[in-house]
Amino acid sequence: MVPLQIPGGPELLIIFLIYGVLGLLPIAAALVGMYLLYKIRNDIGRIADALEESESV
């Protein structure tokens, strides 16, 4: 009977790290997207305010 090889030690750590990083990628992408949308929204608001000021002069 041949014993099954169970990964352990450094191999298991590397596998967990790879799966952890790949699992966090969508979350990080969503957070970056939300931050960029927030910044764009603020920039559009400032541009709109500046246009209103320039038209009222």
Side-chain angles (χ1 to χ4, degrees), residues 2-45:
V2 179
L4 295 175
Q5 282 198 341
I6 299 172
E11 297 94 3
L12 191 61
L13 180 63
I14 291 170
I15 290 170
F16 274 134
L17 286 175
I18 290 172
Y19 277 114
V21 168
L22 291 178
L24 289 177
L25 276 178
I27 297 170
L31 288 175
V32 168
M34 286 170 48
Y35 173 71
L36 290 176
L37 284 174
Y38 174 76
K39 282 191 61 133
I40 289 170
R41 203 176 114 221
N42 282 347
D43 289 344
I44 289 173

